[in-house]
Amino acid sequence: MSKTVLTVDDSASIRQMVGFTLKGAGYSVVEAVDGNDGLAKAKAGGVSLVLTDQNMPGMDGISMIKALRAMPAYKSVPILMLTTESGDAMKAQGKAAGATGWIVKPFDPAKLLEVVRKVLG
Amino acid sequence: MIGYRKAVAVGAPVAAAGVAWLGGWAGMIGAGAVAGAAVWSLFRPGHPAVPAPAAEPAQAPPEPPSFPADEVGAALRAQFDAAQSELERLRGIIADAIGRLLTDFTEMNELATRQRDHALAIARSSNGGGDTEAINVSGIVTKTATMLQEFVTATIETSKHAMGLVDQMDGVKLQVEQAVKMVTEIDGISRQTNLLALNAAIEAARAGEAGRGFAVVANEVRALSDRTVQFSRAIREDMSKIDRSVRDAEAVITGMASHDMVGLLRSKQETANTMTLVTRANDLIAETAGAIDVIAAKMTTTVNDAVTALQFQDMASQLIGHTSKRLDEARALLDDMSDPAGAPGAAARVARMHEATSHNPVQQKAVASGDVELF
């Protein structure tokens, strides 16, 4: 059974591109349009990896990570930030919130796949 | 006039900042730049945005243009609103276009992958590694060549054996002829024996009673001679049958031995040539399939590059959002300038605007793939 990746981004095209990259490699992809939607989809369960944007309406990525890490089921699930933000201060906030890694947009599909495979073992 | 002077202090940096950030989006939000220049000219009387032509010395200096603050404010607000609306339209158009492009690229990539899979299947089958025996062209060519060689070798061997049989049949024929001659000799002997027995019988009859026993012997000898003739005749008939059979067999064997070996060898060469062509065609198929595989792999890489580049839409959308926020702040500042009574002080207002717009979520200056960092 394929592992499921939750991609959280307010940009439909980014969600589409993440889906294109990961589905082609055999992963299942669930989409969420912002942090709140991401939390709701995560609560449904079955998620092996979360890929999230930072700047989104409603709830941003780092806030969502904090909320996810407070859930027992997501203590050790890898969460990768996928954002245009590249500042060290923002990365430090993400790391402190519990992010597993930081990918600066635009992403290279091959590199994204490599990182996903790495964090999913 | 107090509000007017406050506005002068605030208006200059607003206009300068507006020109700076609006420069990059001149095509889209030119209206905002016009508004910024108008603000600058409005709050600095005597320094119009567009220099006035030199006045004629003889004429009285022209009256400075009058810009009623309410009208200018309303015009600026309309420009800000229009710019916001146009930015949203721009964001929508880009998002729509990128969505379609992504769908096309996704389909292209899928087709490229399928094409590569087919090419690999062809290449594998051409090299004898295919899953289906029926399309193992290399194997078919090898088997056909082996079978053909075995057939030619067997035919040549058969021909050699047939030639040997022809020689042996000649020997048999000679022996049959010898046997027939011997039977003929036996016939002659039998005839003479019969004649002698007849003479002996005549002489025995002349001898009367004394020759009676001799006559019996003579008759037995004649009977033996007759039986010998009968046997000889039967043997001759059998030998004739054997001779005919040998001649028929010789004719057949001679036909086998005299197969057109030149034609056979020519057919073998033609078949070998055909097999060579099939092998070349097979190699060409494998080579072409390999080239298709390489092209498909490059296409996948190119699609990946395109996917990376198409993410400009996300960056552009965020930059448009940030620009929109700047316009909102500029418009709010304009509102405060129009109603200074309820507005905070100029320094505080500028600081608030600066704080609201200082963080730009997009630092990238080109569409190159970003860094990856695992914590």
mmCIF file of all heavy atoms in Angstrom, chain B residues 181-230:
data_model
loop_
_atom_site.group_PDB
_atom_site.id
_atom_site.type_symbol
_atom_site.label_atom_id
_atom_site.label_comp_id
_atom_site.label_asym_id
_atom_site.label_seq_id
_atom_site.Cartn_x
_atom_site.Cartn_y
_atom_site.Cartn_z
ATOM 1 N N LYS B 181 23.381 -64.466 -66.611
ATOM 2 C CA LYS B 181 24.256 -65.196 -67.529
ATOM 3 C C LYS B 181 24.441 -66.635 -67.061
ATOM 4 O O LYS B 181 24.401 -67.592 -67.853
ATOM 5 C CB LYS B 181 25.628 -64.509 -67.603
ATOM 6 C CG LYS B 181 25.644 -63.292 -68.503
ATOM 7 C CD LYS B 181 27.059 -62.687 -68.541
ATOM 8 C CE LYS B 181 27.072 -61.418 -69.353
ATOM 9 N NZ LYS B 181 28.413 -60.782 -69.278
ATOM 10 N N MET B 182 24.603 -66.750 -65.711
ATOM 11 C CA MET B 182 24.786 -68.084 -65.158
ATOM 12 C C MET B 182 23.526 -68.931 -65.357
ATOM 13 O O MET B 182 23.610 -70.125 -65.688
ATOM 14 C CB MET B 182 25.122 -67.993 -63.668
ATOM 15 C CG MET B 182 26.533 -67.464 -63.436
ATOM 16 S SD MET B 182 26.843 -67.129 -61.710
ATOM 17 C CE MET B 182 26.992 -68.781 -61.092
ATOM 18 N N VAL B 183 22.390 -68.316 -65.199
ATOM 19 C CA VAL B 183 21.132 -69.034 -65.433
ATOM 20 C C VAL B 183 21.038 -69.471 -66.891
ATOM 21 O O VAL B 183 20.587 -70.577 -67.225
ATOM 22 C CB VAL B 183 19.934 -68.145 -65.012
ATOM 23 C CG1 VAL B 183 18.620 -68.764 -65.508
ATOM 24 C CG2 VAL B 183 19.894 -67.982 -63.509
ATOM 25 N N THR B 184 21.507 -68.595 -67.773
ATOM 26 C CA THR B 184 21.502 -68.937 -69.208
ATOM 27 C C THR B 184 22.400 -70.167 -69.468
ATOM 28 O O THR B 184 22.053 -71.068 -70.251
ATOM 29 C CB THR B 184 21.982 -67.728 -70.034
ATOM 30 O OG1 THR B 184 21.161 -66.618 -69.733
ATOM 31 C CG2 THR B 184 21.919 -68.017 -71.542
ATOM 32 N N GLU B 185 23.564 -70.151 -68.764
ATOM 33 C CA GLU B 185 24.473 -71.298 -68.879
ATOM 34 C C GLU B 185 23.775 -72.563 -68.385
ATOM 35 O O GLU B 185 23.876 -73.645 -69.006
ATOM 36 C CB GLU B 185 25.731 -71.050 -68.029
ATOM 37 C CG GLU B 185 26.696 -70.036 -68.642
ATOM 38 C CD GLU B 185 27.356 -70.615 -69.915
ATOM 39 O OE1 GLU B 185 27.708 -71.807 -69.934
ATOM 40 O OE2 GLU B 185 27.456 -69.856 -70.906
ATOM 41 N N ILE B 186 23.064 -72.420 -67.260
ATOM 42 C CA ILE B 186 22.351 -73.577 -66.694
ATOM 43 C C ILE B 186 21.308 -74.088 -67.686
ATOM 44 O O ILE B 186 21.135 -75.301 -67.892
ATOM 45 C CB ILE B 186 21.696 -73.182 -65.364
ATOM 46 C CG1 ILE B 186 22.774 -72.979 -64.291
ATOM 47 C CG2 ILE B 186 20.700 -74.251 -64.874
ATOM 48 C CD1 ILE B 186 22.276 -72.349 -63.001
ATOM 49 N N ASP B 187 20.653 -73.118 -68.347
ATOM 50 C CA ASP B 187 19.651 -73.501 -69.359
ATOM 51 C C ASP B 187 20.310 -74.344 -70.464
ATOM 52 O O ASP B 187 19.768 -75.392 -70.917
ATOM 53 C CB ASP B 187 19.031 -72.239 -69.980
ATOM 54 C CG ASP B 187 17.928 -71.677 -69.114
ATOM 55 O OD1 ASP B 187 17.512 -72.378 -68.153
ATOM 56 O OD2 ASP B 187 17.486 -70.526 -69.358
ATOM 57 N N GLY B 188 21.481 -73.883 -70.923
ATOM 58 C CA GLY B 188 22.196 -74.603 -71.985
ATOM 59 C C GLY B 188 22.568 -76.019 -71.529
ATOM 60 O O GLY B 188 22.398 -77.002 -72.262
ATOM 61 N N ILE B 189 23.055 -76.044 -70.255
ATOM 62 C CA ILE B 189 23.441 -77.343 -69.722
ATOM 63 C C ILE B 189 22.216 -78.270 -69.647
ATOM 64 O O ILE B 189 22.274 -79.450 -69.994
ATOM 65 C CB ILE B 189 24.109 -77.162 -68.344
ATOM 66 C CG1 ILE B 189 25.448 -76.455 -68.500
ATOM 67 C CG2 ILE B 189 24.278 -78.493 -67.627
ATOM 68 C CD1 ILE B 189 26.082 -75.990 -67.199
ATOM 69 N N SER B 190 21.108 -77.687 -69.199
ATOM 70 C CA SER B 190 19.882 -78.498 -69.077
ATOM 71 C C SER B 190 19.436 -79.032 -70.439
ATOM 72 O O SER B 190 19.003 -80.190 -70.567
ATOM 73 C CB SER B 190 18.765 -77.644 -68.475
ATOM 74 O OG SER B 190 19.080 -77.323 -67.160
ATOM 75 N N ARG B 191 19.511 -78.180 -71.435
ATOM 76 C CA ARG B 191 19.097 -78.613 -72.768
ATOM 77 C C ARG B 191 19.988 -79.769 -73.251
ATOM 78 O O ARG B 191 19.532 -80.775 -73.802
ATOM 79 C CB ARG B 191 19.180 -77.430 -73.753
ATOM 80 C CG ARG B 191 17.949 -76.557 -73.714
ATOM 81 C CD ARG B 191 17.887 -75.634 -74.934
ATOM 82 N NE ARG B 191 19.005 -74.735 -74.994
ATOM 83 C CZ ARG B 191 19.048 -73.556 -74.415
ATOM 84 N NH1 ARG B 191 17.997 -73.130 -73.703
ATOM 85 N NH2 ARG B 191 20.112 -72.808 -74.523
ATOM 86 N N GLN B 192 21.303 -79.591 -73.031
ATOM 87 C CA GLN B 192 22.220 -80.637 -73.470
ATOM 88 C C GLN B 192 21.961 -81.936 -72.684
ATOM 89 O O GLN B 192 21.984 -83.066 -73.225
ATOM 90 C CB GLN B 192 23.662 -80.169 -73.235
ATOM 91 C CG GLN B 192 24.101 -79.177 -74.299
ATOM 92 C CD GLN B 192 25.590 -78.858 -74.155
ATOM 93 O OE1 GLN B 192 26.200 -79.155 -73.130
ATOM 94 N NE2 GLN B 192 26.144 -78.258 -75.191
ATOM 95 N N THR B 193 21.725 -81.758 -71.344
ATOM 96 C CA THR B 193 21.451 -82.929 -70.515
ATOM 97 C C THR B 193 20.192 -83.639 -70.993
ATOM 98 O O THR B 193 20.143 -84.877 -71.090
ATOM 99 C CB THR B 193 21.262 -82.474 -69.051
ATOM 100 O OG1 THR B 193 22.404 -81.784 -68.631
ATOM 101 C CG2 THR B 193 21.035 -83.682 -68.132
ATOM 102 N N ASN B 194 19.184 -82.838 -71.341
ATOM 103 C CA ASN B 194 17.933 -83.404 -71.837
ATOM 104 C C ASN B 194 18.160 -84.176 -73.148
ATOM 105 O O ASN B 194 17.615 -85.285 -73.349
ATOM 106 C CB ASN B 194 16.938 -82.254 -72.056
ATOM 107 C CG ASN B 194 15.529 -82.757 -72.325
ATOM 108 O OD1 ASN B 194 15.257 -83.304 -73.409
ATOM 109 N ND2 ASN B 194 14.647 -82.635 -71.341
ATOM 110 N N LEU B 195 19.014 -83.579 -73.996
ATOM 111 C CA LEU B 195 19.305 -84.216 -75.282
ATOM 112 C C LEU B 195 20.058 -85.536 -75.060
ATOM 113 O O LEU B 195 19.768 -86.584 -75.682
ATOM 114 C CB LEU B 195 20.129 -83.248 -76.124
ATOM 115 C CG LEU B 195 20.386 -83.635 -77.577
ATOM 116 C CD1 LEU B 195 19.050 -83.798 -78.336
ATOM 117 C CD2 LEU B 195 21.263 -82.601 -78.276
ATOM 118 N N LEU B 196 21.016 -85.464 -74.125
ATOM 119 C CA LEU B 196 21.785 -86.668 -73.820
ATOM 120 C C LEU B 196 20.868 -87.743 -73.234
ATOM 121 O O LEU B 196 20.975 -88.946 -73.575
ATOM 122 C CB LEU B 196 22.894 -86.333 -72.820
ATOM 123 C CG LEU B 196 24.107 -85.579 -73.406
ATOM 124 C CD1 LEU B 196 25.038 -85.139 -72.278
ATOM 125 C CD2 LEU B 196 24.837 -86.451 -74.416
ATOM 126 N N ALA B 197 19.982 -87.349 -72.336
ATOM 127 C CA ALA B 197 19.056 -88.308 -71.725
ATOM 128 C C ALA B 197 18.140 -88.914 -72.781
ATOM 129 O O ALA B 197 17.820 -90.116 -72.723
ATOM 130 C CB ALA B 197 18.210 -87.608 -70.653
ATOM 131 N N LEU B 198 17.736 -88.064 -73.757
ATOM 132 C CA LEU B 198 16.901 -88.579 -74.845
ATOM 133 C C LEU B 198 17.679 -89.611 -75.666
ATOM 134 O O LEU B 198 17.163 -90.703 -75.988
ATOM 135 C CB LEU B 198 16.446 -87.412 -75.737
ATOM 136 C CG LEU B 198 15.541 -87.763 -76.918
ATOM 137 C CD1 LEU B 198 14.208 -88.359 -76.390
ATOM 138 C CD2 LEU B 198 15.230 -86.540 -77.772
ATOM 139 N N ASN B 199 18.898 -89.285 -75.989
ATOM 140 C CA ASN B 199 19.739 -90.234 -76.738
ATOM 141 C C ASN B 199 19.927 -91.522 -75.937
ATOM 142 O O ASN B 199 19.898 -92.633 -76.473
ATOM 143 C CB ASN B 199 21.097 -89.613 -77.031
ATOM 144 C CG ASN B 199 20.981 -88.542 -78.131
ATOM 145 O OD1 ASN B 199 20.055 -88.598 -78.955
ATOM 146 N ND2 ASN B 199 21.899 -87.607 -78.143
ATOM 147 N N ALA B 200 20.146 -91.354 -74.645
ATOM 148 C CA ALA B 200 20.350 -92.520 -73.788
ATOM 149 C C ALA B 200 19.091 -93.388 -73.766
ATOM 150 O O ALA B 200 19.183 -94.632 -73.798
ATOM 151 C CB ALA B 200 20.693 -92.076 -72.359
ATOM 152 N N ALA B 201 17.930 -92.746 -73.760
ATOM 153 C CA ALA B 201 16.671 -93.489 -73.759
ATOM 154 C C ALA B 201 16.523 -94.253 -75.061
ATOM 155 O O ALA B 201 16.060 -95.426 -75.081
ATOM 156 C CB ALA B 201 15.487 -92.529 -73.572
ATOM 157 N N ILE B 202 16.906 -93.641 -76.180
ATOM 158 C CA ILE B 202 16.806 -94.302 -77.495
ATOM 159 C C ILE B 202 17.726 -95.523 -77.519
ATOM 160 O O ILE B 202 17.346 -96.618 -77.956
ATOM 161 C CB ILE B 202 17.162 -93.291 -78.611
ATOM 162 C CG1 ILE B 202 16.065 -92.213 -78.708
ATOM 163 C CG2 ILE B 202 17.326 -93.999 -79.958
ATOM 164 C CD1 ILE B 202 16.449 -91.023 -79.584
ATOM 165 N N GLU B 203 18.959 -95.295 -77.020
ATOM 166 C CA GLU B 203 19.915 -96.399 -77.020
ATOM 167 C C GLU B 203 19.434 -97.487 -76.082
ATOM 168 O O GLU B 203 19.608 -98.703 -76.373
ATOM 169 C CB GLU B 203 21.284 -95.876 -76.543
ATOM 170 C CG GLU B 203 21.941 -94.955 -77.560
ATOM 171 C CD GLU B 203 22.151 -95.622 -78.908
ATOM 172 O OE1 GLU B 203 22.448 -96.826 -78.983
ATOM 173 O OE2 GLU B 203 21.974 -94.892 -79.933
ATOM 174 N N ALA B 204 18.825 -97.130 -74.997
ATOM 175 C CA ALA B 204 18.308 -98.136 -74.061
ATOM 176 C C ALA B 204 17.189 -98.948 -74.704
ATOM 177 O O ALA B 204 17.092 -100.174 -74.505
ATOM 178 C CB ALA B 204 17.785 -97.441 -72.797
ATOM 179 N N ALA B 205 16.341 -98.295 -75.497
ATOM 180 C CA ALA B 205 15.279 -98.993 -76.185
ATOM 181 C C ALA B 205 15.866 -99.986 -77.179
ATOM 182 O O ALA B 205 15.330 -101.102 -77.366
ATOM 183 C CB ALA B 205 14.361 -97.977 -76.892
ATOM 184 N N ARG B 206 16.916 -99.613 -77.871
ATOM 185 C CA ARG B 206 17.553 -100.513 -78.828
ATOM 186 C C ARG B 206 18.151 -101.712 -78.095
ATOM 187 O O ARG B 206 18.187 -102.819 -78.604
ATOM 188 C CB ARG B 206 18.689 -99.773 -79.548
ATOM 189 C CG ARG B 206 18.181 -98.910 -80.683
ATOM 190 C CD ARG B 206 19.395 -98.293 -81.381
ATOM 191 N NE ARG B 206 18.948 -97.328 -82.382
ATOM 192 C CZ ARG B 206 19.721 -96.474 -82.957
ATOM 193 N NH1 ARG B 206 21.022 -96.441 -82.618
ATOM 194 N NH2 ARG B 206 19.236 -95.656 -83.870
ATOM 195 N N ALA B 207 18.616 -101.505 -76.933
ATOM 196 C CA ALA B 207 19.244 -102.607 -76.213
ATOM 197 C C ALA B 207 18.222 -103.628 -75.699
ATOM 198 O O ALA B 207 18.567 -104.706 -75.226
ATOM 199 C CB ALA B 207 20.046 -102.045 -75.026
ATOM 200 N N GLY B 208 16.938 -103.221 -75.767
ATOM 201 C CA GLY B 208 15.902 -104.170 -75.373
ATOM 202 C C GLY B 208 15.864 -104.346 -73.863
ATOM 203 O O GLY B 208 15.948 -103.369 -73.126
ATOM 204 N N GLU B 209 15.744 -105.684 -73.490
ATOM 205 C CA GLU B 209 15.578 -105.976 -72.064
ATOM 206 C C GLU B 209 16.805 -105.549 -71.276
ATOM 207 O O GLU B 209 16.691 -105.059 -70.142
ATOM 208 C CB GLU B 209 15.335 -107.491 -71.882
ATOM 209 C CG GLU B 209 14.903 -107.880 -70.490
ATOM 210 C CD GLU B 209 13.604 -107.259 -70.059
ATOM 211 O OE1 GLU B 209 12.712 -106.946 -70.943
ATOM 212 O OE2 GLU B 209 13.431 -106.990 -68.849
ATOM 213 N N ALA B 210 17.927 -105.645 -71.904
ATOM 214 C CA ALA B 210 19.182 -105.304 -71.195
ATOM 215 C C ALA B 210 19.276 -103.816 -70.914
ATOM 216 O O ALA B 210 19.918 -103.394 -69.957
ATOM 217 C CB ALA B 210 20.389 -105.766 -72.042
ATOM 218 N N GLY B 211 18.607 -103.062 -71.739
ATOM 219 C CA GLY B 211 18.712 -101.578 -71.534
ATOM 220 C C GLY B 211 17.561 -100.995 -70.748
ATOM 221 O O GLY B 211 17.438 -99.775 -70.654
ATOM 222 N N ARG B 212 16.693 -101.894 -70.217
ATOM 223 C CA ARG B 212 15.510 -101.392 -69.509
ATOM 224 C C ARG B 212 15.883 -100.517 -68.313
ATOM 225 O O ARG B 212 15.372 -99.422 -68.129
ATOM 226 C CB ARG B 212 14.642 -102.572 -69.013
ATOM 227 C CG ARG B 212 13.299 -102.152 -68.434
ATOM 228 C CD ARG B 212 12.522 -103.396 -68.033
ATOM 229 N NE ARG B 212 12.251 -104.257 -69.173
ATOM 230 C CZ ARG B 212 11.199 -104.127 -69.913
ATOM 231 N NH1 ARG B 212 10.291 -103.177 -69.677
ATOM 232 N NH2 ARG B 212 11.000 -104.961 -70.947
ATOM 233 N N GLY B 213 16.809 -100.958 -67.506
ATOM 234 C CA GLY B 213 17.232 -100.166 -66.315
ATOM 235 C C GLY B 213 17.882 -98.861 -66.730
ATOM 236 O O GLY B 213 17.629 -97.811 -66.141
ATOM 237 N N PHE B 214 18.637 -98.928 -67.781
ATOM 238 C CA PHE B 214 19.281 -97.707 -68.286
ATOM 239 C C PHE B 214 18.242 -96.690 -68.776
ATOM 240 O O PHE B 214 18.410 -95.471 -68.601
ATOM 241 C CB PHE B 214 20.256 -98.088 -69.392
ATOM 242 C CG PHE B 214 21.160 -96.960 -69.744
ATOM 243 C CD1 PHE B 214 22.192 -96.543 -68.881
ATOM 244 C CD2 PHE B 214 20.982 -96.275 -70.957
ATOM 245 C CE1 PHE B 214 22.996 -95.487 -69.231
ATOM 246 C CE2 PHE B 214 21.806 -95.220 -71.289
ATOM 247 C CZ PHE B 214 22.837 -94.829 -70.414
ATOM 248 N N ALA B 215 17.155 -97.269 -69.390
ATOM 249 C CA ALA B 215 16.069 -96.370 -69.872
ATOM 250 C C ALA B 215 15.418 -95.631 -68.716
ATOM 251 O O ALA B 215 15.100 -94.439 -68.831
ATOM 252 C CB ALA B 215 15.004 -97.203 -70.613
ATOM 253 N N VAL B 216 15.276 -96.358 -67.574
ATOM 254 C CA VAL B 216 14.680 -95.690 -66.398
ATOM 255 C C VAL B 216 15.559 -94.539 -65.945
ATOM 256 O O VAL B 216 15.093 -93.432 -65.685
ATOM 257 C CB VAL B 216 14.478 -96.716 -65.238
ATOM 258 C CG1 VAL B 216 14.047 -96.001 -63.950
ATOM 259 C CG2 VAL B 216 13.459 -97.769 -65.612
ATOM 260 N N VAL B 217 16.860 -94.788 -65.908
ATOM 261 C CA VAL B 217 17.792 -93.726 -65.488
ATOM 262 C C VAL B 217 17.746 -92.546 -66.449
ATOM 263 O O VAL B 217 17.730 -91.381 -66.056
ATOM 264 C CB VAL B 217 19.223 -94.288 -65.365
ATOM 265 C CG1 VAL B 217 20.230 -93.168 -65.090
ATOM 266 C CG2 VAL B 217 19.293 -95.341 -64.275
ATOM 267 N N ALA B 218 17.686 -92.915 -67.751
ATOM 268 C CA ALA B 218 17.656 -91.841 -68.756
ATOM 269 C C ALA B 218 16.411 -90.963 -68.589
ATOM 270 O O ALA B 218 16.476 -89.722 -68.709
ATOM 271 C CB ALA B 218 17.700 -92.468 -70.167
ATOM 272 N N ASN B 219 15.300 -91.605 -68.299
ATOM 273 C CA ASN B 219 14.058 -90.821 -68.101
ATOM 274 C C ASN B 219 14.148 -89.923 -66.867
ATOM 275 O O ASN B 219 13.671 -88.788 -66.869
ATOM 276 C CB ASN B 219 12.857 -91.767 -67.952
ATOM 277 C CG ASN B 219 12.445 -92.386 -69.292
ATOM 278 O OD1 ASN B 219 12.665 -91.773 -70.348
ATOM 279 N ND2 ASN B 219 11.872 -93.567 -69.251
ATOM 280 N N GLU B 220 14.747 -90.453 -65.789
ATOM 281 C CA GLU B 220 14.906 -89.635 -64.574
ATOM 282 C C GLU B 220 15.808 -88.454 -64.842
ATOM 283 O O GLU B 220 15.559 -87.343 -64.378
ATOM 284 C CB GLU B 220 15.501 -90.504 -63.440
ATOM 285 C CG GLU B 220 14.527 -91.504 -62.848
ATOM 286 C CD GLU B 220 13.325 -90.842 -62.241
ATOM 287 O OE1 GLU B 220 13.473 -89.761 -61.554
ATOM 288 O OE2 GLU B 220 12.170 -91.325 -62.431
ATOM 289 N N VAL B 221 16.858 -88.754 -65.649
ATOM 290 C CA VAL B 221 17.763 -87.628 -65.981
ATOM 291 C C VAL B 221 17.021 -86.556 -66.783
ATOM 292 O O VAL B 221 17.175 -85.367 -66.553
ATOM 293 C CB VAL B 221 18.998 -88.145 -66.754
ATOM 294 C CG1 VAL B 221 19.813 -86.966 -67.319
ATOM 295 C CG2 VAL B 221 19.865 -88.987 -65.842
ATOM 296 N N ARG B 222 16.168 -86.983 -67.674
ATOM 297 C CA ARG B 222 15.376 -86.018 -68.479
ATOM 298 C C ARG B 222 14.423 -85.224 -67.583
ATOM 299 O O ARG B 222 14.265 -84.014 -67.735
ATOM 300 C CB ARG B 222 14.565 -86.775 -69.545
ATOM 301 C CG ARG B 222 15.389 -87.178 -70.767
ATOM 302 C CD ARG B 222 14.473 -87.674 -71.863
ATOM 303 N NE ARG B 222 13.617 -86.640 -72.353
ATOM 304 C CZ ARG B 222 12.579 -86.869 -73.156
ATOM 305 N NH1 ARG B 222 12.238 -88.111 -73.470
ATOM 306 N NH2 ARG B 222 11.862 -85.858 -73.613
ATOM 307 N N ALA B 223 13.824 -85.973 -66.638
ATOM 308 C CA ALA B 223 12.909 -85.269 -65.707
ATOM 309 C C ALA B 223 13.670 -84.225 -64.898
ATOM 310 O O ALA B 223 13.202 -83.086 -64.693
ATOM 311 C CB ALA B 223 12.241 -86.274 -64.767
ATOM 312 N N LEU B 224 14.866 -84.610 -64.435
ATOM 313 C CA LEU B 224 15.680 -83.625 -63.672
ATOM 314 C C LEU B 224 16.041 -82.435 -64.548
ATOM 315 O O LEU B 224 16.030 -81.282 -64.098
ATOM 316 C CB LEU B 224 16.961 -84.299 -63.152
ATOM 317 C CG LEU B 224 16.796 -85.241 -61.957
ATOM 318 C CD1 LEU B 224 18.115 -85.959 -61.645
ATOM 319 C CD2 LEU B 224 16.370 -84.432 -60.728
ATOM 320 N N SER B 225 16.357 -82.749 -65.800
ATOM 321 C CA SER B 225 16.702 -81.655 -66.720
ATOM 322 C C SER B 225 15.515 -80.721 -66.925
ATOM 323 O O SER B 225 15.659 -79.492 -66.930
ATOM 324 C CB SER B 225 17.148 -82.276 -68.062
ATOM 325 O OG SER B 225 17.368 -81.248 -69.004
ATOM 326 N N ASP B 226 14.323 -81.302 -67.059
ATOM 327 C CA ASP B 226 13.123 -80.456 -67.234
ATOM 328 C C ASP B 226 12.889 -79.583 -66.001
ATOM 329 O O ASP B 226 12.566 -78.387 -66.116
ATOM 330 C CB ASP B 226 11.888 -81.343 -67.472
ATOM 331 C CG ASP B 226 11.906 -82.001 -68.856
ATOM 332 O OD1 ASP B 226 12.639 -81.485 -69.725
ATOM 333 O OD2 ASP B 226 11.184 -82.991 -69.043
ATOM 334 N N ARG B 227 13.035 -80.234 -64.816
ATOM 335 C CA ARG B 227 12.853 -79.430 -63.587
ATOM 336 C C ARG B 227 13.903 -78.324 -63.502
ATOM 337 O O ARG B 227 13.609 -77.199 -63.067
ATOM 338 C CB ARG B 227 12.971 -80.357 -62.358
ATOM 339 C CG ARG B 227 11.732 -81.259 -62.192
ATOM 340 C CD ARG B 227 11.870 -82.137 -60.984
ATOM 341 N NE ARG B 227 11.945 -81.362 -59.770
ATOM 342 C CZ ARG B 227 12.301 -81.861 -58.602
ATOM 343 N NH1 ARG B 227 12.661 -83.124 -58.502
ATOM 344 N NH2 ARG B 227 12.322 -81.106 -57.539
ATOM 345 N N THR B 228 15.123 -78.647 -63.931
ATOM 346 C CA THR B 228 16.178 -77.620 -63.911
ATOM 347 C C THR B 228 15.796 -76.448 -64.807
ATOM 348 O O THR B 228 15.981 -75.276 -64.449
ATOM 349 C CB THR B 228 17.519 -78.229 -64.387
ATOM 350 O OG1 THR B 228 17.859 -79.310 -63.529
ATOM 351 C CG2 THR B 228 18.616 -77.172 -64.375
ATOM 352 N N VAL B 229 15.237 -76.797 -65.970
ATOM 353 C CA VAL B 229 14.794 -75.727 -66.898
ATOM 354 C C VAL B 229 13.696 -74.888 -66.250
ATOM 355 O O VAL B 229 13.692 -73.654 -66.366
ATOM 356 C CB VAL B 229 14.313 -76.346 -68.226
ATOM 357 C CG1 VAL B 229 13.613 -75.292 -69.088
ATOM 358 C CG2 VAL B 229 15.481 -76.932 -69.009
ATOM 359 N N GLN B 230 12.768 -75.584 -65.562
ATOM 360 C CA GLN B 230 11.687 -74.828 -64.907
ATOM 361 C C GLN B 230 12.250 -73.885 -63.839
ATOM 362 O O GLN B 230 11.875 -72.713 -63.752
ATOM 363 C CB GLN B 230 10.688 -75.810 -64.264
ATOM 364 C CG GLN B 230 9.801 -76.522 -65.278
ATOM 365 C CD GLN B 230 8.971 -77.627 -64.625
ATOM 366 O OE1 GLN B 230 8.990 -77.819 -63.414
ATOM 367 N NE2 GLN B 230 8.239 -78.375 -65.456
#
